[in-house]
Amino acid sequence: MSQNVGIDLIHFATADFYLGLDVFAQQKNQDVDKYLVGIGQEKMSIAPPDEDIVTLSAKAAEPILAQVDRDKISAVFFATESGVDQSKSAGAFVHSLLNLPNRCRVIELKHACYAGAAALQMAVNTVKANPKEQVLVIAADIARYDLDTSGEATQGCGAVAMLIKTEPRILAIEAGSGYHTEDVMDFWRPNHRETALVDGKYSTKVYLSSLKFAWQHFTEETGRSFEDIQQFCYHIPFTKMAEKAHKQLVKQVGLKQTDQQTSQQVAASQVYNRVIGNSYSASLFVGFCSLLDHKPHLDDQRIGFFSYGSGCVAEFFSGVIQPGYQSVLMTREHQCSIEARSPLTYQQYLDLYHHSEPNQANITFPEYHAGPFRLSGIQDHKRCYLKTGQ
């Protein structure tokens, strides 16, 4: 008899600062409802110079490792499109900061926002092949766009860590997925650029067509229907995208829903993303944390997940919430992390924005944030990290 494999623990982290989109709208001479209603965003987390995907990831993973035997972690699958080195995996830095055992595989995965789902499925299959393995999956990104572009209001940052093992206490991942891959240029970041380029309207169109094809494949592979799924989590570049995607899926399967029925199936998954902003590969799983923390009584319910990565690759898959899951959630930690952030003025946001990814051989960063891990500087082109113990 095969064992269940899936998410045993999950925790996310974001930066200590945010820019309110009310401040942003005032600066841009725009109606604030363009952002609050139009794209469904209120705030975006902003990372200071001494915070990057490595420190965010260590901050996300440490509360999980504090509850388990970290010497049993056999692999770290690290998903990001905000890589800090063209060769060395960011996961290697995280492995060191977290005091993980040397008998451990570490690899970095990239395909825009899809890589987190790929890392999760890779971990599930690893554990199915060898049930003794316990894999730490991390998805982390800092979303950055050029100033005064349509993407600027959809920035943000975050990292999600997940422990994947047998007999998981939160979510058992089910066999069978629907896939869609297509060579398109809807969002991309050439190696010489620090910010992404996006064709927003085209990307929305490709996201929705990818959902259509991935869903068709999913139903053919699994035999499951829309009615078999109680809650849906979508990749969320901005929260209105999830609503738009769900309404299209409802129409595709020939059903009709009221706005209240749509809200009951997707709204709980949007709460955190609305105040964190886009976190690319982590976005889908920040949404899953939001669902777990805001929708009670999910025991034995099937969750549908749609992951989309520009370029593009998409996957629709499902999992079943395990009985008693609420006893291992870290809801309070998530909410405290968000509530503890400090607001930025627009000028403070600009100061952090222009202090972007350093290309100097040597630099020391001032101490901006109070998190447990810091990027302290760069010496001879080598990134230097500190545990602050806070």
mmCIF file of all heavy atoms in Angstrom, residues 230-233 260-272 287-299 301 303 321 325-326 329 331 335:
data_model
loop_
_atom_site.group_PDB
_atom_site.id
_atom_site.type_symbol
_atom_site.label_atom_id
_atom_site.label_comp_id
_atom_site.label_asym_id
_atom_site.label_seq_id
_atom_site.Cartn_x
_atom_site.Cartn_y
_atom_site.Cartn_z
ATOM 1 N N GLN A 230 -12.926 21.468 -3.702
ATOM 2 C CA GLN A 230 -13.680 22.394 -2.860
ATOM 3 C C GLN A 230 -13.065 23.796 -2.830
ATOM 4 O O GLN A 230 -13.782 24.788 -2.700
ATOM 5 C CB GLN A 230 -13.766 21.846 -1.419
ATOM 6 C CG GLN A 230 -14.734 20.680 -1.260
ATOM 7 C CD GLN A 230 -14.217 19.396 -1.870
ATOM 8 O OE1 GLN A 230 -13.114 18.957 -1.573
ATOM 9 N NE2 GLN A 230 -15.026 18.785 -2.719
ATOM 10 N N GLN A 231 -11.728 23.889 -2.877
ATOM 11 C CA GLN A 231 -11.046 25.186 -2.826
ATOM 12 C C GLN A 231 -9.985 25.249 -3.927
ATOM 13 O O GLN A 231 -9.425 24.212 -4.310
ATOM 14 C CB GLN A 231 -10.369 25.403 -1.465
ATOM 15 C CG GLN A 231 -11.333 25.489 -0.294
ATOM 16 C CD GLN A 231 -12.155 26.770 -0.307
ATOM 17 O OE1 GLN A 231 -11.647 27.844 -0.657
ATOM 18 N NE2 GLN A 231 -13.430 26.668 0.067
ATOM 19 N N PHE A 232 -9.708 26.460 -4.407
ATOM 20 C CA PHE A 232 -8.745 26.634 -5.503
ATOM 21 C C PHE A 232 -7.684 27.659 -5.102
ATOM 22 O O PHE A 232 -8.008 28.714 -4.551
ATOM 23 C CB PHE A 232 -9.470 27.123 -6.760
ATOM 24 C CG PHE A 232 -10.390 26.108 -7.366
ATOM 25 C CD1 PHE A 232 -11.659 25.890 -6.819
ATOM 26 C CD2 PHE A 232 -10.000 25.355 -8.464
ATOM 27 C CE1 PHE A 232 -12.522 24.952 -7.367
ATOM 28 C CE2 PHE A 232 -10.855 24.412 -9.016
ATOM 29 C CZ PHE A 232 -12.119 24.209 -8.460
ATOM 30 N N CYS A 233 -6.432 27.336 -5.390
ATOM 31 C CA CYS A 233 -5.312 28.270 -5.215
ATOM 32 C C CYS A 233 -4.672 28.513 -6.578
ATOM 33 O O CYS A 233 -4.296 27.560 -7.265
ATOM 34 C CB CYS A 233 -4.258 27.687 -4.261
ATOM 35 S SG CYS A 233 -4.779 27.580 -2.547
ATOM 36 N N GLN A 260 -20.547 35.584 -4.761
ATOM 37 C CA GLN A 260 -20.353 35.019 -3.426
ATOM 38 C C GLN A 260 -19.792 33.599 -3.505
ATOM 39 O O GLN A 260 -18.901 33.226 -2.737
ATOM 40 C CB GLN A 260 -21.674 35.018 -2.657
ATOM 41 C CG GLN A 260 -21.532 34.516 -1.224
ATOM 42 C CD GLN A 260 -22.846 34.535 -0.466
ATOM 43 O OE1 GLN A 260 -23.916 34.737 -1.047
ATOM 44 N NE2 GLN A 260 -22.783 34.316 0.848
ATOM 45 N N GLN A 261 -20.294 32.803 -4.454
ATOM 46 C CA GLN A 261 -19.791 31.431 -4.612
ATOM 47 C C GLN A 261 -18.331 31.438 -5.072
ATOM 48 O O GLN A 261 -17.524 30.635 -4.606
ATOM 49 C CB GLN A 261 -20.666 30.672 -5.616
ATOM 50 C CG GLN A 261 -22.046 30.334 -5.089
ATOM 51 C CD GLN A 261 -22.968 29.777 -6.167
ATOM 52 O OE1 GLN A 261 -22.954 30.237 -7.314
ATOM 53 N NE2 GLN A 261 -23.743 28.764 -5.808
ATOM 54 N N THR A 262 -17.995 32.369 -5.967
ATOM 55 C CA THR A 262 -16.592 32.491 -6.398
ATOM 56 C C THR A 262 -15.714 32.875 -5.218
ATOM 57 O O THR A 262 -14.638 32.288 -5.006
ATOM 58 C CB THR A 262 -16.468 33.559 -7.503
ATOM 59 O OG1 THR A 262 -17.217 33.134 -8.639
ATOM 60 C CG2 THR A 262 -15.011 33.763 -7.903
ATOM 61 N N SER A 263 -16.180 33.834 -4.438
ATOM 62 C CA SER A 263 -15.420 34.289 -3.278
ATOM 63 C C SER A 263 -15.194 33.160 -2.280
ATOM 64 O O SER A 263 -14.106 33.023 -1.708
ATOM 65 C CB SER A 263 -16.156 35.448 -2.611
ATOM 66 O OG SER A 263 -15.464 35.896 -1.479
ATOM 67 N N GLN A 264 -16.192 32.311 -2.089
ATOM 68 C CA GLN A 264 -16.061 31.206 -1.136
ATOM 69 C C GLN A 264 -14.972 30.221 -1.546
ATOM 70 O O GLN A 264 -14.414 29.527 -0.709
ATOM 71 C CB GLN A 264 -17.405 30.480 -0.996
ATOM 72 C CG GLN A 264 -18.448 31.280 -0.228
ATOM 73 C CD GLN A 264 -19.815 30.624 -0.234
ATOM 74 O OE1 GLN A 264 -20.056 29.681 -0.983
ATOM 75 N NE2 GLN A 264 -20.713 31.116 0.609
ATOM 76 N N GLN A 265 -14.668 30.166 -2.846
ATOM 77 C CA GLN A 265 -13.673 29.196 -3.317
ATOM 78 C C GLN A 265 -12.281 29.781 -3.510
ATOM 79 O O GLN A 265 -11.321 29.022 -3.620
ATOM 80 C CB GLN A 265 -14.144 28.560 -4.633
ATOM 81 C CG GLN A 265 -15.325 27.609 -4.456
ATOM 82 C CD GLN A 265 -15.630 26.798 -5.694
ATOM 83 O OE1 GLN A 265 -15.695 27.338 -6.791
ATOM 84 N NE2 GLN A 265 -15.806 25.499 -5.525
ATOM 85 N N VAL A 266 -12.148 31.115 -3.556
ATOM 86 C CA VAL A 266 -10.813 31.683 -3.821
ATOM 87 C C VAL A 266 -10.392 32.818 -2.886
ATOM 88 O O VAL A 266 -9.202 33.110 -2.770
ATOM 89 C CB VAL A 266 -10.684 32.178 -5.289
ATOM 90 C CG1 VAL A 266 -10.898 31.044 -6.265
ATOM 91 C CG2 VAL A 266 -11.663 33.318 -5.565
ATOM 92 N N ALA A 267 -11.350 33.478 -2.208
ATOM 93 C CA ALA A 267 -11.010 34.705 -1.467
ATOM 94 C C ALA A 267 -10.029 34.456 -0.325
ATOM 95 O O ALA A 267 -9.114 35.260 -0.095
ATOM 96 C CB ALA A 267 -12.276 35.370 -0.933
ATOM 97 N N ALA A 268 -10.195 33.350 0.399
ATOM 98 C CA ALA A 268 -9.310 33.097 1.542
ATOM 99 C C ALA A 268 -7.848 32.962 1.112
ATOM 100 O O ALA A 268 -6.938 33.279 1.886
ATOM 101 C CB ALA A 268 -9.767 31.842 2.282
ATOM 102 N N SER A 269 -7.626 32.517 -0.108
ATOM 103 C CA SER A 269 -6.245 32.325 -0.588
ATOM 104 C C SER A 269 -5.587 33.632 -1.018
ATOM 105 O O SER A 269 -4.399 33.648 -1.351
ATOM 106 C CB SER A 269 -6.229 31.342 -1.767
ATOM 107 O OG SER A 269 -6.864 31.923 -2.903
ATOM 108 N N GLN A 270 -6.332 34.745 -1.015
ATOM 109 C CA GLN A 270 -5.795 36.007 -1.527
ATOM 110 C C GLN A 270 -5.390 36.996 -0.431
ATOM 111 O O GLN A 270 -4.786 38.023 -0.728
ATOM 112 C CB GLN A 270 -6.840 36.681 -2.424
ATOM 113 C CG GLN A 270 -7.263 35.841 -3.602
ATOM 114 C CD GLN A 270 -8.432 36.462 -4.354
ATOM 115 O OE1 GLN A 270 -8.940 37.502 -3.975
ATOM 116 N NE2 GLN A 270 -8.852 35.810 -5.411
ATOM 117 N N VAL A 271 -5.724 36.709 0.830
ATOM 118 C CA VAL A 271 -5.575 37.704 1.895
ATOM 119 C C VAL A 271 -4.119 38.160 2.043
ATOM 120 O O VAL A 271 -3.828 39.361 2.087
ATOM 121 C CB VAL A 271 -6.097 37.133 3.230
ATOM 122 C CG1 VAL A 271 -5.891 38.150 4.360
ATOM 123 C CG2 VAL A 271 -7.564 36.747 3.114
ATOM 124 N N TYR A 272 -3.197 37.213 2.122
ATOM 125 C CA TYR A 272 -1.789 37.582 2.325
ATOM 126 C C TYR A 272 -1.183 38.242 1.081
ATOM 127 O O TYR A 272 -0.438 39.221 1.189
ATOM 128 C CB TYR A 272 -0.963 36.350 2.700
ATOM 129 C CG TYR A 272 -1.237 35.810 4.088
ATOM 130 C CD1 TYR A 272 -1.094 34.449 4.366
ATOM 131 C CD2 TYR A 272 -1.642 36.642 5.133
ATOM 132 C CE1 TYR A 272 -1.330 33.936 5.636
ATOM 133 C CE2 TYR A 272 -1.890 36.142 6.398
ATOM 134 C CZ TYR A 272 -1.732 34.793 6.646
ATOM 135 O OH TYR A 272 -1.979 34.294 7.901
ATOM 136 N N GLY A 287 -0.328 31.954 -1.175
ATOM 137 C CA GLY A 287 -1.775 31.829 -1.291
ATOM 138 C C GLY A 287 -2.306 30.616 -0.540
ATOM 139 O O GLY A 287 -3.367 30.686 0.098
ATOM 140 N N PHE A 288 -1.573 29.502 -0.595
ATOM 141 C CA PHE A 288 -2.005 28.300 0.138
ATOM 142 C C PHE A 288 -1.943 28.551 1.654
ATOM 143 O O PHE A 288 -2.860 28.161 2.386
ATOM 144 C CB PHE A 288 -1.123 27.115 -0.258
ATOM 145 C CG PHE A 288 -1.502 25.829 0.422
ATOM 146 C CD1 PHE A 288 -2.814 25.389 0.452
ATOM 147 C CD2 PHE A 288 -0.533 25.042 1.039
ATOM 148 C CE1 PHE A 288 -3.166 24.191 1.082
ATOM 149 C CE2 PHE A 288 -0.867 23.856 1.666
ATOM 150 C CZ PHE A 288 -2.190 23.433 1.692
ATOM 151 N N CYS A 289 -0.889 29.225 2.116
ATOM 152 C CA CYS A 289 -0.820 29.594 3.543
ATOM 153 C C CYS A 289 -2.022 30.455 3.922
ATOM 154 O O CYS A 289 -2.614 30.286 5.001
ATOM 155 C CB CYS A 289 0.468 30.365 3.840
ATOM 156 S SG CYS A 289 1.968 29.379 3.817
ATOM 157 N N SER A 290 -2.370 31.391 3.051
ATOM 158 C CA SER A 290 -3.496 32.274 3.317
ATOM 159 C C SER A 290 -4.793 31.480 3.427
ATOM 160 O O SER A 290 -5.615 31.723 4.318
ATOM 161 C CB SER A 290 -3.602 33.326 2.198
ATOM 162 O OG SER A 290 -4.615 34.265 2.489
ATOM 163 N N LEU A 291 -4.978 30.517 2.540
ATOM 164 C CA LEU A 291 -6.166 29.653 2.607
ATOM 165 C C LEU A 291 -6.206 28.902 3.932
ATOM 166 O O LEU A 291 -7.245 28.870 4.616
ATOM 167 C CB LEU A 291 -6.153 28.662 1.438
ATOM 168 C CG LEU A 291 -7.212 27.553 1.489
ATOM 169 C CD1 LEU A 291 -8.618 28.141 1.360
ATOM 170 C CD2 LEU A 291 -6.961 26.510 0.398
ATOM 171 N N LEU A 292 -5.098 28.285 4.312
ATOM 172 C CA LEU A 292 -5.047 27.505 5.556
ATOM 173 C C LEU A 292 -5.350 28.373 6.775
ATOM 174 O O LEU A 292 -6.014 27.935 7.718
ATOM 175 C CB LEU A 292 -3.658 26.872 5.713
ATOM 176 C CG LEU A 292 -3.270 25.785 4.708
ATOM 177 C CD1 LEU A 292 -1.792 25.457 4.838
ATOM 178 C CD2 LEU A 292 -4.116 24.535 4.889
ATOM 179 N N ASP A 293 -4.845 29.618 6.750
ATOM 180 C CA ASP A 293 -4.962 30.487 7.924
ATOM 181 C C ASP A 293 -6.300 31.214 8.008
ATOM 182 O O ASP A 293 -6.650 31.739 9.069
ATOM 183 C CB ASP A 293 -3.830 31.534 7.920
ATOM 184 C CG ASP A 293 -2.457 30.904 8.177
ATOM 185 O OD1 ASP A 293 -2.414 29.731 8.584
ATOM 186 O OD2 ASP A 293 -1.447 31.595 7.962
ATOM 187 N N HIS A 294 -7.042 31.292 6.896
ATOM 188 C CA HIS A 294 -8.271 32.089 6.888
ATOM 189 C C HIS A 294 -9.544 31.307 6.597
ATOM 190 O O HIS A 294 -10.638 31.869 6.704
ATOM 191 C CB HIS A 294 -8.141 33.231 5.871
ATOM 192 C CG HIS A 294 -7.092 34.234 6.229
ATOM 193 N ND1 HIS A 294 -5.811 34.169 5.730
ATOM 194 C CD2 HIS A 294 -7.114 35.293 7.079
ATOM 195 C CE1 HIS A 294 -5.102 35.171 6.233
ATOM 196 N NE2 HIS A 294 -5.856 35.856 7.056
ATOM 197 N N LYS A 295 -9.435 30.050 6.193
ATOM 198 C CA LYS A 295 -10.618 29.246 5.896
ATOM 199 C C LYS A 295 -10.658 28.073 6.876
ATOM 200 O O LYS A 295 -9.849 27.136 6.764
ATOM 201 C CB LYS A 295 -10.555 28.725 4.458
ATOM 202 C CG LYS A 295 -11.831 28.036 3.983
ATOM 203 C CD LYS A 295 -12.825 29.039 3.464
ATOM 204 C CE LYS A 295 -14.032 28.366 2.836
ATOM 205 N NZ LYS A 295 -14.987 29.378 2.308
ATOM 206 N N PRO A 296 -11.586 28.073 7.839
ATOM 207 C CA PRO A 296 -11.604 26.979 8.823
ATOM 208 C C PRO A 296 -12.228 25.704 8.238
ATOM 209 O O PRO A 296 -12.881 25.726 7.189
ATOM 210 C CB PRO A 296 -12.481 27.552 9.938
ATOM 211 C CG PRO A 296 -13.397 28.509 9.234
ATOM 212 C CD PRO A 296 -12.584 29.103 8.103
ATOM 213 N N HIS A 297 -11.995 24.608 8.954
ATOM 214 C CA HIS A 297 -12.674 23.340 8.665
ATOM 215 C C HIS A 297 -12.400 22.817 7.251
ATOM 216 O O HIS A 297 -13.310 22.477 6.491
ATOM 217 C CB HIS A 297 -14.187 23.478 8.878
ATOM 218 C CG HIS A 297 -14.559 24.159 10.165
ATOM 219 N ND1 HIS A 297 -14.085 23.710 11.400
ATOM 220 C CD2 HIS A 297 -15.320 25.261 10.412
ATOM 221 C CE1 HIS A 297 -14.566 24.510 12.349
ATOM 222 N NE2 HIS A 297 -15.294 25.455 11.783
ATOM 223 N N LEU A 298 -11.136 22.742 6.904
ATOM 224 C CA LEU A 298 -10.763 22.229 5.580
ATOM 225 C C LEU A 298 -10.457 20.723 5.595
ATOM 226 O O LEU A 298 -10.094 20.167 4.554
ATOM 227 C CB LEU A 298 -9.531 22.981 5.059
ATOM 228 C CG LEU A 298 -9.717 24.469 4.726
ATOM 229 C CD1 LEU A 298 -8.356 25.118 4.435
ATOM 230 C CD2 LEU A 298 -10.644 24.645 3.523
ATOM 231 N N ASP A 299 -10.601 20.079 6.733
ATOM 232 C CA ASP A 299 -10.248 18.657 6.835
ATOM 233 C C ASP A 299 -10.881 17.857 5.694
ATOM 234 O O ASP A 299 -12.075 17.966 5.437
ATOM 235 C CB ASP A 299 -10.746 18.085 8.170
ATOM 236 C CG ASP A 299 -10.209 18.847 9.363
ATOM 237 O OD1 ASP A 299 -10.633 20.014 9.537
ATOM 238 O OD2 ASP A 299 -9.373 18.300 10.084
ATOM 239 N N GLN A 301 -10.782 18.124 2.629
ATOM 240 C CA GLN A 301 -11.183 18.810 1.391
ATOM 241 C C GLN A 301 -10.067 18.726 0.353
ATOM 242 O O GLN A 301 -8.884 18.746 0.683
ATOM 243 C CB GLN A 301 -11.535 20.278 1.678
ATOM 244 C CG GLN A 301 -12.816 20.438 2.489
ATOM 245 C CD GLN A 301 -13.383 21.844 2.431
ATOM 246 O OE1 GLN A 301 -13.000 22.668 1.602
ATOM 247 N NE2 GLN A 301 -14.327 22.122 3.315
ATOM 248 N N ILE A 303 -7.968 20.408 -2.624
ATOM 249 C CA ILE A 303 -7.550 21.737 -3.070
ATOM 250 C C ILE A 303 -6.982 21.624 -4.478
ATOM 251 O O ILE A 303 -6.140 20.761 -4.749
ATOM 252 C CB ILE A 303 -6.471 22.338 -2.134
ATOM 253 C CG1 ILE A 303 -6.848 22.150 -0.661
ATOM 254 C CG2 ILE A 303 -6.250 23.817 -2.478
ATOM 255 C CD1 ILE A 303 -8.115 22.830 -0.232
ATOM 256 N N ILE A 321 -6.416 17.969 2.096
ATOM 257 C CA ILE A 321 -6.076 18.437 3.443
ATOM 258 C C ILE A 321 -6.235 17.289 4.443
ATOM 259 O O ILE A 321 -7.222 16.563 4.422
ATOM 260 C CB ILE A 321 -6.980 19.608 3.853
ATOM 261 C CG1 ILE A 321 -6.808 20.788 2.886
ATOM 262 C CG2 ILE A 321 -6.693 20.033 5.291
ATOM 263 C CD1 ILE A 321 -5.500 21.510 2.979
ATOM 264 N N TYR A 325 -5.048 19.081 10.605
ATOM 265 C CA TYR A 325 -3.986 19.941 10.058
ATOM 266 C C TYR A 325 -3.805 21.237 10.834
ATOM 267 O O TYR A 325 -2.703 21.799 10.908
ATOM 268 C CB TYR A 325 -4.308 20.269 8.591
ATOM 269 C CG TYR A 325 -5.455 21.248 8.448
ATOM 270 C CD1 TYR A 325 -5.236 22.611 8.235
ATOM 271 C CD2 TYR A 325 -6.785 20.826 8.575
ATOM 272 C CE1 TYR A 325 -6.285 23.500 8.145
ATOM 273 C CE2 TYR A 325 -7.839 21.709 8.483
ATOM 274 C CZ TYR A 325 -7.582 23.047 8.271
ATOM 275 O OH TYR A 325 -8.621 23.936 8.192
ATOM 276 N N GLN A 326 -4.900 21.739 11.431
ATOM 277 C CA GLN A 326 -4.834 23.055 12.077
ATOM 278 C C GLN A 326 -3.872 23.088 13.265
ATOM 279 O O GLN A 326 -3.366 24.149 13.626
ATOM 280 C CB GLN A 326 -6.238 23.486 12.527
ATOM 281 C CG GLN A 326 -7.133 23.884 11.354
ATOM 282 C CD GLN A 326 -8.518 24.304 11.790
ATOM 283 O OE1 GLN A 326 -9.202 23.538 12.462
ATOM 284 N NE2 GLN A 326 -8.939 25.492 11.406
ATOM 285 N N LEU A 329 -0.378 24.416 12.032
ATOM 286 C CA LEU A 329 -0.251 25.661 11.260
ATOM 287 C C LEU A 329 0.502 26.719 12.062
ATOM 288 O O LEU A 329 0.467 26.725 13.291
ATOM 289 C CB LEU A 329 -1.636 26.193 10.877
ATOM 290 C CG LEU A 329 -2.492 25.303 9.984
ATOM 291 C CD1 LEU A 329 -3.796 26.012 9.622
ATOM 292 C CD2 LEU A 329 -1.744 24.882 8.723
ATOM 293 N N THR A 331 -0.090 30.083 11.887
ATOM 294 C CA THR A 331 -0.905 31.254 11.549
ATOM 295 C C THR A 331 -0.439 32.500 12.298
ATOM 296 O O THR A 331 -0.286 33.577 11.698
ATOM 297 C CB THR A 331 -2.380 30.968 11.892
ATOM 298 O OG1 THR A 331 -2.777 29.764 11.228
ATOM 299 C CG2 THR A 331 -3.271 32.117 11.464
ATOM 300 N N GLN A 335 0.904 36.105 10.709
ATOM 301 C CA GLN A 335 0.214 37.381 10.926
ATOM 302 C C GLN A 335 1.105 38.386 11.660
ATOM 303 O O GLN A 335 1.089 39.578 11.343
ATOM 304 C CB GLN A 335 -1.094 37.120 11.678
ATOM 305 C CG GLN A 335 -2.084 36.316 10.821
ATOM 306 C CD GLN A 335 -3.348 35.906 11.539
ATOM 307 O OE1 GLN A 335 -3.435 36.011 12.759
ATOM 308 N NE2 GLN A 335 -4.334 35.427 10.802
#
